[in-house]
Amino acid sequence: MGYDNLRLEKGMYRQAGMSFTQVLESLDPSENYRGTALEGTDAFQRQLKRFGIRAKGAGSSPVEKFFSTSDSAVLFPEYIARTVRQGIEENDILPDIVATTTVIDSLDYRSIYSNAPEDNMSLEDVGEGEEIGITEICTKSNLITLTKRGRMLVASYEALRFQKLDMFGVMLRQIGAYIQKQQLANAVDVIVNGDGNDNAVRQYTIGTEPVSGTKGTLSYDALVDFWGRFDPYNMNVLLCSGPTVNKMLKVPEFQNPMTGMNFQGTGKMVTPLGAKLYRCNALANDQIIGLDSRYALELVRAGDVMVEYDKLIDRQLERAAITSIYGFGKICDDASALLNV
């Protein structure tokens, strides 16, 4: 069956364990288009082509193009979900601070952690007949809290029908940016306060052992002392608010020519310690989170971006919710720490 004669229906959004695009792919596999002009497109993009819907550019289609037939109307919720997801991903730093992502199909999730006595962490040689050190994998005492974030899309079909998809997409990406901002704020809250399993972040203060310097003054020596507290982990990410980023960029060691060339050439801020630096206004001023992104945080998602497909297909845009359900859990508690300037 080719892409141009598939029957589309609402039930394709309700198949357990499969997204709308996955259902389309099962009916119209992309591998069948290798070596053709449609190679590199997915099943949803081929459906847009089938109905002549152009989602981007100056010549983009009006919203009403989706509703030219009952089949093409079924594509509208997926278009909204994809565009919102694009807004989430455009400025998303979660992939750089999350060690692993777990997708679940329920609202309850209990994570695991490793429980190894400190004196067994060195992995010393084991003599004949001696006991091998034990690392026990345990479930956490409390469930990971999942949060629903989103926006209510409020507009009449009459108000949107002639609007170009390129402009409408800007509004949808803005919704995605809002969701991303809230996700990052939740991630920071879990790093600092814990995930409900008595695992709040370790805190250090400049001018108080073991971090040298004068409280209120950010120095390279203080950052080095902070970096040294991560052994055996590697502090490869720093998060701080905009004003604190400005302070850090004014540390003399940041004036190293190679550091400056990297920032000026790529726009990526890298500290002299080798850690990636990200501005995160979810943090209070004069607070810096350091973490080893390989071990610190788990992202838990209950599915992907969700939309009220029934309303959207039936042109009932007056109150259609766009939501994402997610939560965060800490993996290795010592893989993150907080520095108070």
Side-chain angles (χ1 to χ4, degrees):
M1 181 181 293
Y3 76 94
D4 54 351
N5 56 10
L6 287 181
R7 177 169 175 76
L8 306 180
E9 56 185 4
K10 290 182 182 180
M12 300 173 79
Y13 286 96
R14 293 194 291 264
Q15 295 200 24
M18 297 180 70
S19 67
F20 178 78
T21 296
Q22 288 172 332
V23 174
L24 280 181
E25 284 287 344
S26 68
L27 299 172
D28 179 36
S30 292
E31 61 186 23
N32 293 345
Y33 296 89
R34 291 176 183 171
T36 72
L38 294 176
E39 183 176 9
T41 62
D42 65 20
F44 176 74
Q45 291 168 329
R46 290 190 292 275
Q47 289 303 307
L48 293 183
K49 178 177 177 60
R50 169 189 175 185
F51 293 104
I53 300 172
R54 184 172 178 179
K56 298 179 181 179
S60 63
S61 304
V63 170
E64 69 172 357
K65 186 73 172 178
F66 274 104
F67 300 96
S68 57
T69 71
S70 58
D71 281 300
S72 59
V74 176
L75 300 173
F76 192 51
E78 178 66 7
Y79 161 75
I80 288 181
R82 285 187 174 216
T83 310
V84 170
R85 195 180 308 121
Q86 182 183 351
I88 292 174
E89 295 170 352
E90 281 178 343
N91 299 299
D92 192 9
I93 68 171
L94 285 179
D96 287 333
I97 68 174
V98 167
T100 183
T101 299
T102 303
V103 180
I104 62 175
D105 57 2
S106 69
L107 295 180
D108 294 327
Y109 177 74
R110 193 184 302 274
S111 190
I112 58 175
Y113 70 99
S114 62
N115 182 16
E118 196 66 31
D119 56 359
N120 282 343
M121 294 296 287
S122 58
L123 299 181
E124 297 178 353
D125 293 340
V126 179
E128 185 176 351
E130 293 182 353
E131 184 179 351
I132 300 176
I134 296 174
T135 296
E136 183 180 5
I137 305 299
C138 310
T139 56
K140 291 187 176 181
S141 300
N142 295 316
L143 296 172
I144 299 298
T145 300
L146 300 186
T147 304
K148 178 186 282 189
R149 299 287 188 185
R151 273 287 192 260
M152 191 70 71
L153 180 62
V154 180
S156 67
Y157 173 69
E158 287 71 22
L160 289 178
R161 60 179 299 189
F162 298 119
Q163 187 61 249
K164 296 291 187 179
L165 289 173
D166 202 44
M167 180 59 189
F168 184 46
V170 173
M171 303 296 102
L172 296 176
R173 293 199 306 273
Q174 186 179 47
I175 292 174
Y178 165 82
I179 294 174
Q180 183 274 330
K181 181 179 179 180
Q182 292 301 312
Q183 287 180 341
L184 182 58
N186 287 130
V188 167
D189 180 69
V190 168
I191 292 172
V192 174
N193 300 310
D195 58 14
N197 288 282
D198 193 25
N199 52 2
V201 74
R202 295 175 293 143
Q203 296 203 27
Y204 302 95
T205 300
I206 292 178
T208 302
E209 287 292 337
V211 180
S212 61
T214 303
K215 181 172 174 55
T217 301
L218 183 61
S219 67
Y220 185 67
D221 289 346
L223 289 172
V224 169
D225 290 338
F226 183 52
W227 171 83
R229 308 311 301 171
F230 277 79
D231 184 57
Y233 299 102
N234 178 33
M235 186 184 75
N236 56 19
V237 170
L238 287 170
L239 303 175
C240 44
S241 67
T244 307
V245 167
N246 293 342
K247 286 185 179 181
M248 193 173 294
L249 291 175
K250 293 175 182 178
V251 171
E253 282 74 12
F254 266 91
Q255 299 173 20
N256 179 292
M258 293 307 296
T259 302
M261 286 177 62
N262 184 71
F263 176 60
Q264 294 164 16
T266 67
K268 295 180 179 179
M269 298 177 287
V270 180
T271 71
L273 302 174
K276 293 181 180 179
L277 175 61
Y278 291 107
R279 182 174 56 197
C280 174
N281 290 324
L283 264 174
N285 289 339
D286 294 329
Q287 286 189 331
I288 300 171
I289 286 179
L291 57 89
D292 188 331
S293 61
R294 302 169 301 169
Y295 300 102
L297 201 62
E298 176 185 17
L299 168 59
V300 182
R301 280 200 177 109
D304 209 333
V305 173
M306 292 171 283
V307 298
E308 293 184 302
Y309 59 87
D310 276 318
K311 290 184 177 181
L312 295 173
I313 293 172
D314 295 336
R315 311 186 198 187
Q316 298 174 20
L317 278 67
E318 283 80 3
R319 295 189 67 81
I322 303 170
T323 58
S324 177
I325 300 176
Y326 61 90
F328 296 91
K330 298 183 78 169
I331 303 175
C332 299
D333 296 346
D334 290 339
S336 59
L338 177 68
L339 177 65
N340 294 296
V341 178

